[in-house]
Amino acid sequence: MFAVRFDPSEAELPKEKPLVPQKRAAESDDDSDEVQESEDESQEPERQKDESEDESEDKSREKLPEEPEGQEDVQNQDTSDIHSKKHDSVISRFQQTLKLQEKLPQANLIDEEKEASDTEARPLEQIPQPAKVRNTHSGEAFEERKSIAWRNTTKVHYDNQMVKPFASYQDQLQPRLLANIQQYFSKDTFPIQTVLLDNTLSLLNFTLGVTKKNLTRRVGDILVNASTGSGKTLAYSIPIIEALSKRTVNKLRVLVIVPTKLLIGQVFDTMSKLAQGTGLIISISKLENSLKEEHQKFMNYEPDILIVTPGRLVDHLQIGSITMKNLMMLVLDEADHLLNQSFQNWSTELMNNIKSHKLDQMPGNVIKMVFSATLTTNTEKLHGLHLYNPKLFVRDSVKLYNLPDKLQEYNVNVPTAKSLYKPLFLLHLLNRLQNAKALVFVKSNEASLRLAPLLAIMIEKRMGASHNVLSVNSNNTKSENKRLVHQFATSDTKESNQILITTDLMSRGIDINDITDVINYDPPISSQQYVHRCGRTARALGRGNAHNLLVGKGERKFWTQIEKDISRNVGYEPIISTEQDESIVNVSENENEVYKLCLEILRSQNSGD
Ligand SMILES: Nc1ncnc2c1ncn2[C@@H]1O[C@H](COP(=O)(O)OP(=O)(O)OP(=O)(O)O)[C@@H](O)[C@H]1O
């Protein structure tokens, strides 16, 4: 509320009521007395306007020592006499205001002359603008920030030619371990395995042979950003089994943390095969087992290696089933996923536990091995791991992530106007695949629950070949989904294409080696998700196809954004839909009729449910 400024130069009072400084709004928010005064019938209407000004005067008068209120006989006094008294009171109030203003800090006062002079003096030119802030989110700045994330880490580049026989490590691997690798996996390494074994085995063997001291600091922490299906599980399992195979007493020395139960089984399977005949105790911990039983099991037989999800790890740390006292190696598989999830803030809980239980409190007291095909560039996530002298093993490529070398991508552009027919276009695409085992990624459970039955109805109406369509979704029980995944993984594609419709639950780490095609029915939400989805095919240096159904300009534009983070092998550039693919998005008159009928059937099925 601004007081009306009183101009002292007009000290002589005009005929009409003098302008007096309005009182500031009363501190209390109860303005009922003001309403009361302004509605007071006793005053003549024409004076009401003046009265409102007088009210402030009346109100301020209440504050000032002067003629007592309610003097009824005041009407009979000489009016000039009344005026002079009123003027005295106005002038004395003005003087009071001036005194108050003198007490105010100068900064609060608006210098009218200066303000007046400023406004008059300033010509109507462009007011100078502040310097433009550099857009730190622009592409190059963002890329630069991403690469800074790796700047403080020693980079060890490798390329896909680095393959050699596992037998070349016979002096560095226990004979039993080498035999298990060659029996269950392969005679030759994959590139990421070569570069990792070359950089760790000799250090591990030297330190274990000469002195246990500083073993972890000699090796340092290991970060691996390697494409999907490139053999990361074997790459970290081999040095672990090698390092433990000489142990005498079973103690928990290795912790492997993975984001899902599905992955626990896969890692357990790989490590058990490698450790055959070594006597090592490898345990897993998963939610369906009772915590109490697992607690008892670990107390009776302390495992050498524990494979666990973050939530379960925190449970066991909190009830003291396991101790970090002897921990030597910590593996984070699908690390970017693990570090992005809250999971009761598991990494802080784990780091604190290591800090309070390890005898060796020096930095680098545990070798941390951080693996992913889309390793986070978000340093504060990695920062929480207190990395020690980390080495980053990364493909020699200019971008963040690599797609499998022999993955071929196909983009099918669906006009927005035809998006209603997307399920039919998916069927057209499936009809073109021969002996295919295809994963179809949709954006949600609901999408999966709608698409699978509609595909089945269209196939029944002979709109397409007789593909065998399965759907993994949250309506199924966990055991049903597990059975469906197993059925899909072991299915034969001679008679018909095997199709599994799923959400991104299946996009990480699932290792089904003969998936021929991945179809992004709904686009992924990030380049990481795109890499992991496509990585379900073209595994173990094999071939595979990824098909992207892109509806309208929006999804096409989004896809080009994803491209910025992705490197491909020479010759495997994405094939954008061409005229022969146009037939995928064509709908004949007859098809249109039958398709509409299928939609009707689906609607009646759903309403009938
Ligand atoms: N040297 C090798 N030779 C042949 N096959 C291998 C070799 N190493 C691993 N494999 C096989 O390759 C497949 C993929 O391995 P793995 O699951 O470890 O890949 P990954 O890099 O962890 O993939 P993702 O990032 O999707 O988890 C597995 O079936 C594995 O048995």
Side-chain angles (χ1 to χ4, degrees), residues 252-377:
L252 182 55
R253 292 185 179 83
V254 176
L255 205 48
V256 181
I257 305 176
V258 293
T260 63
K261 289 192 295 297
L262 275 172
L263 273 173
I264 287 182
Q266 255 171 232
V267 175
F268 178 75
D269 186 47
T270 298
M271 286 197 158
S272 304
K273 285 174 180 166
L274 290 175
Q276 226 172 57
T278 61
L280 290 175
I281 302 175
I282 303 175
S283 294
I284 62 174
S285 169
K286 50 187 182 180
L287 284 177
E288 49 251 41
N289 303 341
S290 106
L291 189 61
K292 195 159 168 290
E293 279 167 19
E294 285 187 351
H295 171 82
Q296 203 46 54
K297 185 175 87 175
F298 297 155
M299 297 304 275
N300 297 340
Y301 283 103
E302 184 172 358
D304 292 291
I305 300 171
L306 176 61
I307 307 165
V308 66
T309 49
R312 198 59 176 202
L313 170 66
V314 169
D315 295 341
H316 280 300
L317 288 174
Q318 284 170 349
I319 63 173
S321 318
I322 53 177
T323 170
M324 296 296 111
K325 184 169 63 173
N326 306 298
L327 191 70
M328 186 170 76
M329 293 179 180
L330 167 66
V331 178
L332 305 187
D333 196 348
E334 304 295 347
D336 61 317
H337 196 36
L338 287 174
L339 294 171
N340 275 340
Q341 292 183 7
S342 57
F343 277 129
Q344 302 153 328
N345 204 7
W346 67 272
S347 54
T348 309
E349 182 96 17
L350 173 61
M351 292 302 140
N352 290 341
N353 198 293
I354 291 172
K355 193 170 170 52
S356 48
H357 289 86
K358 275 262 332 176
L359 304 175
D360 169 358
Q361 280 297 316
M362 298 286 288
N365 55 1
V366 173
I367 299 172
K368 294 167 201 95
M369 304 164 95
V370 182
F371 285 74
S372 172
T374 52
L375 192 58
T376 177
T377 55

Side-chain angles (χ1 to χ4, degrees), residues 172-174 177 201 204-205 208 212 215 236-256 271 274-275 277-283 302-306 326-329 331:
Q172 295 171 313
L173 292 173
Q174 298 293 315
L177 173 54
L201 276 186
L204 271 172
N205 286 324
L208 284 167
K212 295 256 185 314
L215 177 143
Y236 64 72
S237 301
I238 291 172
I240 287 172
I241 303 297
E242 175 60 22
L244 292 185
S245 57
K246 300 169 185 111
R247 68 104 176 95
T248 47
V249 180
N250 55 300
K251 288 186 179 126
L252 182 55
R253 292 185 179 83
V254 176
L255 205 48
V256 181
M271 286 197 158
L274 290 175
T278 61
L280 290 175
I281 302 175
I282 303 175
S283 294
E302 184 172 358
D304 292 291
I305 300 171
L306 176 61
N326 306 298
L327 191 70
M328 186 170 76
M329 293 179 180
V331 178

Side-chain angles (χ1 to χ4, degrees), residues 399-496:
K399 300 196 182 163
L400 267 180
Y401 311 131
N402 293 288
L403 285 176
D405 280 352
K406 294 176 186 163
L407 176 82
Q408 181 58 64
E409 297 151 280
Y410 300 88
N411 285 353
V412 180
N413 295 330
V414 177
T416 310
K418 291 187 174 181
S419 55
L420 168 76
Y421 297 97
K422 205 168 139 185
L424 178 58
F425 299 155
L426 171 63
L427 187 57
H428 287 173
L429 175 59
L430 293 175
N431 291 341
R432 301 165 75 117
L433 305 180
Q434 300 299 321
N435 306 112
K437 186 174 278 189
L439 267 183
V440 178
F441 282 105
V442 292
K443 63 188 172 202
S444 65
N445 269 310
E446 293 67 35
S448 175
L449 288 166
R450 265 197 315 275
L451 183 60
L454 181 54
L455 267 181
I457 295 167
M458 289 194 283
I459 290 168
E460 193 192 316
K461 293 293 176 194
R462 303 201 179 294
M463 294 187 80
S466 57
H467 312 288
N468 181 28
V469 180
L470 301 173
S471 158
V472 171
N473 56 62
S474 60
N475 275 24
N476 303 334
T477 61
K478 285 197 181 74
S479 51
E480 264 173 339
N481 280 336
K482 202 169 171 183
R483 181 182 58 74
L484 287 167
V485 170
H486 180 69
Q487 180 183 336
F488 172 70
T490 54
S491 58
D492 183 309
T493 60
K494 287 196 187 65
E495 301 305 316
S496 61

Side-chain angles (χ1 to χ4, degrees), residues 166 185-186 188-190 193 227-234 334 373 509 511 513 536 539-540:
F166 276 114
F185 296 98
S186 167
D188 298 322
T189 61
F190 279 168
Q193 293 157 4
S227 61
T228 51
S230 56
K232 292 189 286 298
T233 314
L234 208 60
E334 304 295 347
D511 181 39
N513 263 343
R536 294 316 98 205
R539 297 176 69 75

